Amino acid sequence: MKPQSKTLFVAAGSVLLTLIACAAPAQPTAASAQEASAIRWDVSQPDDGDGDPRLQLRAKQSTSSVALDGARAEFSAARDTLGGGRGPVSFSVVHAAGRLDCTGSLHAAYEGEGQCRFAPDADFATALESRGVGTPTRKEQLAMLMVDATVELADGLIDAGLRPHTGELVAAAALKVTPAYVRDLQSGALRLTSINDAIACKALGVDRDYVRGLAEAGYAKLSSDQVISMKALGITPDYARSMNAAAGGTQ
């Protein structure tokens, strides 16, 4: 697989994640700075009534949403507040990356909208910079809050041999690329040369069993690009085994 192909897979995954943009103009007035830093929120129930309500944040032309399913403790207060009755509401989301303070109104339980303000955490940015991950922008720290990107995740990926940059840390958190997942791929005889290898693998559903299956089929020396390409083309270990047998040898 050509390098640019893997880049396209990662870029496509990033588009699907729809991370929030919240950068202000270079030299804003006080009024425009307040407008630019504001983030709109709305909450709604699934149209079919099946599933958890979702909290959506919007800034300019980009959006991000979180399921209010109780999985993330920092959104518990928002879940409880937005499940109330008609009227004004306020809630906060506190994460290592920063603090989101929101106000607005509900028309009914989990039906409403309003505005938020985000305050990035300076110590969090310093911690990432000290690890060689880079200094995140305000936009990136807001995205890190939304996808639960943490210093602990950065440390784990670095320990696994893959040092992410700030944007890569966001993508890794959003796709659940954990240190355990990276080690699973490596134990399956796949050599990862960058965090983008792991991100592309996760986006396409490559796991240890798939890598080991290819190795058992005679393809034990494939690069991460080749494995990603085979998965993208729908090549299974069984198909690889039959093709290798037809070719009369191993790779």
Side-chain angles (χ1 to χ4, degrees):
M1 181 178 190
K2 295 181 180 180
Q4 59 264 37
S5 297
K6 182 173 70 180
T7 301
L8 288 175
F9 283 125
V10 175
S14 297
V15 170
L16 291 174
L17 296 174
T18 324
L19 300 176
I20 294 175
C22 58
Q27 294 182 332
T29 64
S32 63
Q34 181 176 0
E35 180 182 356
S37 61
I39 302 158
R40 303 297 304 178
W41 67 264
D42 64 73
V43 64
S44 61
Q45 300 269 24
D47 290 339
D48 59 6
D50 184 19
D52 297 297
R54 298 194 70 87
L55 173 64
Q56 179 172 260
L57 303 184
R58 286 198 230 93
K60 295 194 175 181
Q61 296 182 343
S62 56
T63 64
S64 182
S65 66
V66 175
L68 298 177
D69 56 4
R72 293 183 58 184
E74 59 266 37
F75 283 92
S76 294
R79 186 173 188 268
D80 292 343
T81 298
L82 296 174
R86 181 185 181 92
V89 292
S90 63
F91 59 91
S92 298
V93 178
V94 181
H95 186 268
R99 180 185 178 102
L100 196 64
D101 291 301
C102 307
T103 58
S105 60
L106 290 176
H107 313 300
Y110 300 119
E111 297 290 343
E113 61 278 321
Q115 181 171 293
C116 301
R117 304 279 297 186
F118 176 65
D121 187 282
D123 290 339
F124 179 84
T126 298
L128 290 182
E129 195 280 331
S130 70
R131 288 160 169 77
V133 175
T135 303
T137 63
R138 181 177 182 275
K139 168 186 173 181
E140 287 175 327
Q141 281 190 238
L142 178 55
M144 289 171 182
L145 177 150
M146 292 300 293
V147 300
D148 196 23
T150 63
V151 172
E152 291 75 19
L153 175 59
D155 284 342
L157 293 173
I158 292 169
D159 289 344
L162 303 177
R163 186 184 305 277
H165 196 264
T166 52
E168 295 164 342
L169 181 62
V170 172
L175 287 173
K176 311 299 182 188
V177 177
T178 64
Y181 174 74
V182 169
R183 292 192 176 94
D184 272 351
L185 291 182
Q186 292 167 333
S187 70
L190 177 63
R191 187 171 66 89
L192 300 172
T193 59
S194 75
I195 187 63
N196 279 334
D197 290 341
I199 291 170
C201 283
K202 190 61 183 283
L204 288 172
V206 174
D207 57 17
R208 177 179 59 183
D209 291 341
Y210 182 76
V211 175
R212 285 185 173 176
L214 292 179
E216 292 169 358
Y219 295 86
K221 298 180 180 180
L222 296 176
S223 68
S224 58
D225 282 346
Q226 290 171 317
V227 170
I228 291 165
S229 179
M230 293 175 77
K231 182 67 173 180
L233 292 171
I235 296 174
T236 65
D238 286 341
Y239 180 78
R241 186 177 295 108
S242 65
M243 291 298 293
N244 197 37
T250 59
Q251 297 294 316

